[in-house]
Amino acid sequence: MGAAACGAAVEQLLTRLLDHVEEPLKQTFQNVHQGYPTETVVRFLKAREWHVSKAHNMLVDSLNWRIQNEIDSILEKPIIPVDLYRSIRETQLVGLSGYSKKGIPVFAIGVGLSTYDKASVHYYVQSHIQINEYRDRIILPMVTKKFGRPISTCIKILDMTGLKLSALNQMKILTAISTVDDLNYPEKTETYYIVNVPYIFSACWKVVKPLLQERTRKKVHVLQGCGRDELLKIMDYSSLPHFCQREGSSKNSSNDVENCFSLDHPFHQEMYHYIEEQALNQELIKQGSLHVDIPDQDPEDAKIVEVIEAEFHKLGEQNGSINGDHKE
């Protein structure tokens, strides 16, 4: 699509949105775009191959989802007690390790060693959305101001250390989280770097890669080993996740302050204290998870999940195990 056609699509979608939706949707849209409505509608247009009507429906559905699930106030709802939140951080491995040389936030995800077994699905989904919202409302506006240009995406480094066939047991929660992202936070990741790849990932990637849309395939880079040398081309050593600074485990670090998955890491400390502070201001601190509705999965994404599950079962049969006791 040419630049003129893209510009016309953006203008058409913005006009539809601002002229034909109700005030509550316009208000939550402000929380989404953070002063950059054009960049926001471009993300939704990209997610729907620049089809204006489909992008409009997707965006309106997302805004309604935000209102129905009170997403605008999710940063006022800390997960308490703090020991429960610590358990979530130890089993849902994600964190901000730093920034690229262009100022893009770098998020690390410990795919292989995340177990999601210390709390209910609702807590893990709440925690995931809080990180998304903190990224979009606090981190990205901060780097946008610092660099003097809109920065609205992030880089994700996925560590596959420890990935086993037993990850099949986590497919439900992973599907819920990815569906929330695909339908409500589209095109927020500029590039995915996948590191410490075991045999099981390589086998699955071979069958999944052809099913992905071209724009998604182009974003995914599978690196050799811990990926350190490649990643140092786009970020400084200090921004590398701990598992890329040296070969080894993504979960354990000699210093929890350096381990971006840990609650003791500055990113998680700042985010948790921010949410606590917002709750105190609103007098909202109370125990219990936030129940967020998970949107229906896109049929194409559902097909990919089916293929992954089938490949896991096939590998399990070949190795005589579904618990990961196989060659990696």
Side-chain angles (χ1 to χ4, degrees):
M1 183 181 278
C6 288
V10 169
E11 191 174 333
Q12 196 179 339
L13 181 49
L14 273 174
T15 301
R16 275 198 196 188
L17 191 69
L18 298 176
D19 291 352
H20 301 293
V21 302
E22 296 172 0
E23 193 58 36
L25 269 68
K26 290 179 184 177
Q27 288 175 2
T28 195
F29 182 55
Q30 289 179 349
N31 251 341
V32 174
H33 70 60
Q34 292 291 318
Y36 293 94
T38 298
E39 286 77 7
T40 300
V41 298
V42 165
R43 290 193 294 104
F44 282 84
L45 282 162
K46 282 182 180 177
R48 288 298 177 261
E49 305 297 333
W50 292 89
H51 192 292
V52 175
S53 291
K54 289 180 180 178
H56 177 262
N57 291 340
M58 182 188 187
L59 182 49
V60 169
D61 285 347
S62 176
L63 298 177
N64 278 315
W65 172 82
R66 293 181 67 86
I67 291 169
Q68 289 158 9
N69 293 281
E70 301 179 352
I71 302 300
D72 287 342
S73 61
I74 201 168
L75 293 181
E76 300 166 1
K77 296 169 183 173
I79 294 173
I80 55 172
V82 70
D83 286 346
L84 171 61
Y85 190 66
R86 185 175 292 278
S87 295
I88 290 170
R89 292 279 55 85
E90 290 171 353
T91 53
Q92 183 184 34
L93 303 180
V94 59
L96 177 74
S97 67
Y99 300 86
S100 76
K101 292 172 182 177
K102 294 181 178 179
I104 300 169
V106 177
F107 281 87
I109 301 170
V111 177
L113 292 173
S114 291
T115 54
Y116 299 97
D117 60 354
K118 297 295 184 185
S120 71
V121 171
H122 300 294
Y123 276 119
Y124 286 113
V125 171
Q126 177 181 348
S127 168
H128 178 80
I129 294 172
Q130 285 179 329
I131 291 172
N132 280 357
E133 292 291 315
Y134 189 79
R135 173 198 67 197
D136 293 352
R137 295 194 233 167
I138 306 297
I139 299 292
L140 291 172
M142 179 186 73
V143 290
T144 290
K145 185 176 180 182
K146 180 179 177 181
F147 283 82
R149 59 180 174 81
I151 297 177
S152 59
T153 57
C154 66
I155 291 167
K156 288 183 180 175
I157 304 176
L158 279 56
D159 181 22
M160 295 294 164
T161 299
L163 184 67
K164 296 179 180 177
L165 292 171
S166 52
L168 194 60
N169 301 329
Q170 297 151 22
M171 196 61 76
K172 183 180 178 183
I173 188 166
L174 292 173
T175 300
I177 287 171
S178 67
T179 301
V180 165
D181 279 357
D182 291 345
L183 296 181
N184 300 289
Y185 303 92
E187 301 295 317
K188 292 299 291 188
T189 304
E190 183 175 287
T191 315
Y192 297 91
Y193 293 102
I194 302 177
V195 302
N196 297 323
V197 174
Y199 166 75
I200 184 174
F201 174 82
S202 302
C204 285
W205 180 237
K206 211 176 286 183
V207 295
V208 168
K209 187 178 179 180
L211 301 176
L212 298 176
Q213 292 179 332
E214 186 183 1
R215 73 170 192 283
T216 304
R217 273 202 307 272
K218 286 180 176 177
K219 290 182 182 182
V220 180
H221 299 267
V222 181
L223 305 183
Q224 200 157 7
C226 69
R228 179 174 52 236
D229 294 343
E230 280 297 310
L231 292 169
L232 284 173
K233 294 175 184 177
I234 61 164
M235 67 187 74
D236 294 331
Y237 184 84
S238 60
S239 288
L240 288 175
H242 57 281
F243 55 79
C244 292
Q245 294 176 358
R246 59 191 178 280
E247 303 287 345
S249 166
S250 74
K251 195 168 187 177
N252 300 311
S253 172
S254 56
N255 184 350
D256 278 345
V257 175
E258 295 174 3
N259 179 345
C260 65
F261 298 150
S262 168
L263 179 55
D264 297 319
H265 186 271
F267 166 70
H268 285 299
Q269 284 290 303
E270 288 165 17
M271 185 180 75
Y272 193 73
H273 291 320
Y274 175 86
I275 296 172
E276 276 189 319
E277 197 174 284
Q278 299 304 305
L280 285 170
N281 290 342
Q282 300 292 329
E283 299 181 345
L284 282 175
I285 292 188
K286 60 180 181 179
Q287 212 155 335
S289 64
L290 180 71
H291 287 223
V292 174
D293 294 331
I294 307 300
D296 291 334
Q297 194 176 25
D298 185 285
E300 288 183 15
D301 293 334
K303 173 67 176 170
I304 291 171
V305 171
E306 286 176 16
V307 169
I308 293 172
E309 288 176 338
E311 190 64 22
F312 266 58
H313 281 299
K314 183 173 141 191
L315 290 166
E317 288 166 7
Q318 288 173 358
N319 291 280
S321 168
I322 201 67
N323 294 312
D325 303 323
H326 68 292
K327 62 177 181 176
E328 292 186 0

